Amino acid sequence: MDPRSLTPALRALRLCLHLLTAGLLGLVVLRALTGRTDEPAAAVVAVAAAMGVVYAAGSLIGAVRSTRVGAACWLAALGAVWAVLLALSPDGVWLAFPLYFLLVHLLPVRWALPAVAVSAGAAIASYVGHGAPLNAGAFIGPLLGGCVAVATVLGYQALYRESESRRRLIEELIATRAELADAERTAGTLAERERLAREIHDTLAQGLSSIQLLLRAAGRDLPADSAAAAHIERARATAQDNLAEARRFVRALSPPDLAGGSLAAALERLCATAHGVSARCTTSGTPLVLPTPYEVALLRIAQSALGNTVRHAHARRAEITLSFMETSVALDVVDDGDGFDPEHPEHAVSGDGGFGLPAMRARVRALGGTFTVESAPGQGTAVAVTLPLPLSSGGGA
């Protein structure tokens, strides 16, 4: 009866259980009042009413719904009253069936199964002790009811766990899809910014620079005190101001994280600002000029991997390695943290399935590269990215 588990189906089952218990208690009272049994009617009615009160209290006491100890104490009290009812009337055997459901639902399996067995034994003993004939039916009924209750509750719990697992998976997929969409929008924005910066630099800025040089040359060929020379000087100053403005546009359109220098410098700054872990960045090979989407993807992957190391891995050291090779560029992020099973990344931490690995893999796949993760519980994690160099990146930086 944990309120966190109350799906619509479980609410319906709980309501049916309440109605079944109330109906069986009412039937016991009715048979006692109509004189269909030889037991003292007043005592049976009083104990049945007491059992109803104890049962109703379980729905009102918060500890019963939220703690195992509270549930165990309530079940013990309910079982004690039920045992008294069994001693007074054989009709109390009917209440064993709802009691089975309560035991299996509220107690751990290792406690619930023995409790169901004890309850079935008490029902059989009461049935036989009140003079019922000793036959197979006296044993099969309570035992079969217990088996049905155990199978029903355990089966529902298994279905519920599977449903929750699928729900978490769907939420993870939705979150990953949103992250990928955001990454695609960011990549498109960065690519457009790069294109605009390149166009401004190659056309407007170069044109203004040429105009400035031509006006300066024309001004040297004119007398310094002529009106034409003054106009040319003002035109040259205007061109110079516009050139400076165009260069500011180019700088403003550059990716913010990479505006302060190269990708290697951005990775150095990332390691310097990492809190809770000793991070170091090394660069090997001859640095090359990479397209902006390459630099952005590698920087974002390094940020995400190092962020996972800080938040989840409980690592002491992490190392980022940027390697420039003849036909490719590689990024490796290694830590000495807790590690996880790459086949089941959703089990690494609760509620954060995958550490953002699908987003990293999608970034790399979009650029035609390879993405691998090597990890094991207790053995740290290594994230490796390799991107093929475009043909236009062959020169040194």
Side-chain angles (χ1 to χ4, degrees), residues 2-179:
D2 188 348
R4 294 170 297 179
S5 304
L6 292 182
T7 62
L10 187 55
R11 291 180 186 275
L13 290 175
R14 189 178 68 163
L15 178 60
C16 291
L17 184 63
H18 293 340
L19 294 176
L20 176 62
T21 303
L24 292 177
L25 284 173
L27 185 59
V28 170
V29 171
L30 180 62
R31 285 176 59 84
L33 293 177
T34 55
R36 296 185 179 182
T37 61
D38 298 331
E39 287 71 25
V44 172
V45 172
V47 174
M51 186 173 181
V53 171
V54 174
Y55 182 88
S59 300
L60 302 176
I61 300 175
V64 174
R65 301 190 301 270
S66 58
T67 65
R68 291 277 175 82
V69 175
C73 293
W74 176 67
L75 288 173
L78 189 66
V81 178
W82 178 62
V84 175
L85 185 62
L86 286 177
L88 294 175
S89 172
D91 296 335
V93 174
W94 299 335
L95 291 160
F97 192 64
L99 186 61
Y100 295 153
F101 279 97
L102 293 173
L103 292 171
V104 182
H105 181 65
L106 293 177
L107 297 179
V109 176
R110 63 180 183 276
W111 298 351
L113 296 182
V116 169
V118 171
S119 300
I124 294 172
S126 173
Y127 187 74
V128 175
H130 283 283
L134 187 62
N135 52 35
F139 295 90
I140 293 177
L143 293 177
L144 183 60
C147 292
V148 170
V150 169
T152 301
V153 175
L154 294 184
Y156 175 80
Q157 290 177 349
L159 291 175
Y160 178 75
R161 287 193 296 269
E162 182 179 355
S163 174
E164 284 295 291
S165 176
R166 291 184 178 180
R167 182 185 61 80
R168 288 191 296 268
L169 178 60
I170 292 173
E171 290 178 352
E172 178 186 344
L173 291 175
I174 293 175
T176 302
R177 184 173 63 180
E179 185 177 353

Side-chain angles (χ1 to χ4, degrees), residues 133-379:
L134 187 62
N135 52 35
F139 295 90
I140 293 177
L143 293 177
L144 183 60
C147 292
V148 170
V150 169
T152 301
V153 175
L154 294 184
Y156 175 80
Q157 290 177 349
L159 291 175
Y160 178 75
R161 287 193 296 269
E162 182 179 355
S163 174
E164 284 295 291
S165 176
R166 291 184 178 180
R167 182 185 61 80
R168 288 191 296 268
L169 178 60
I170 292 173
E171 290 178 352
E172 178 186 344
L173 291 175
I174 293 175
T176 302
R177 184 173 63 180
E179 185 177 353
L180 291 177
D182 182 65
E184 290 177 359
R185 287 193 297 269
T186 302
T189 301
L190 291 174
E192 182 63 16
R193 289 163 64 97
E194 180 193 14
R195 187 189 68 81
L196 290 174
R198 186 171 56 249
E199 292 294 334
I200 293 174
H201 177 273
D202 295 343
T203 57
L204 181 61
Q206 294 294 344
L208 290 172
S209 180
S210 299
I211 291 172
Q212 183 185 13
L213 293 175
L214 290 173
L215 290 173
R216 181 176 296 176
R220 285 197 296 265
D221 294 337
L222 294 174
D225 56 351
S226 65
H231 291 316
I232 288 177
E233 179 60 26
R234 284 195 296 270
R236 189 193 66 78
T238 302
Q240 184 177 2
D241 292 341
N242 288 337
L243 176 59
E245 188 69 21
R247 287 172 176 168
R248 282 195 293 270
F249 286 155
V250 171
R251 287 194 298 271
L253 289 171
S254 301
D257 294 321
L258 300 169
S262 63
L263 173 62
L267 294 176
E268 290 281 359
R269 290 194 298 273
L270 177 63
C271 292
T273 56
H275 299 289
V277 65
S278 175
R280 185 181 65 172
C281 178
T282 58
T283 303
S284 64
T286 303
L288 302 174
V289 177
L290 298 175
T292 300
Y294 277 57
E295 293 187 334
V296 172
L298 292 174
L299 179 60
R300 293 292 184 251
I301 291 172
Q303 288 173 332
S304 181
L306 189 59
N308 291 333
T309 298
V310 172
R311 290 190 300 271
H312 307 299
H314 306 101
R316 292 175 297 175
R317 294 184 302 274
E319 183 167 351
I320 298 177
T321 304
L322 180 65
S323 304
F324 292 92
M325 294 168 280
E326 292 185 0
T327 59
S328 61
V329 58
L331 176 73
D332 299 280
V333 183
V334 182
D335 66 59
D336 62 351
D338 296 341
F340 62 97
D341 183 1
E343 297 296 327
H344 302 284
E346 68 276 5
H347 296 161
V349 290
S350 176
D352 185 16
F355 289 98
L357 296 179
M360 299 185 202
R361 186 174 288 108
R363 284 184 183 272
V364 176
R365 189 184 301 119
L367 297 175
T370 59
F371 177 83
T372 58
V373 177
E374 295 182 3
S375 184
Q379 299 184 18

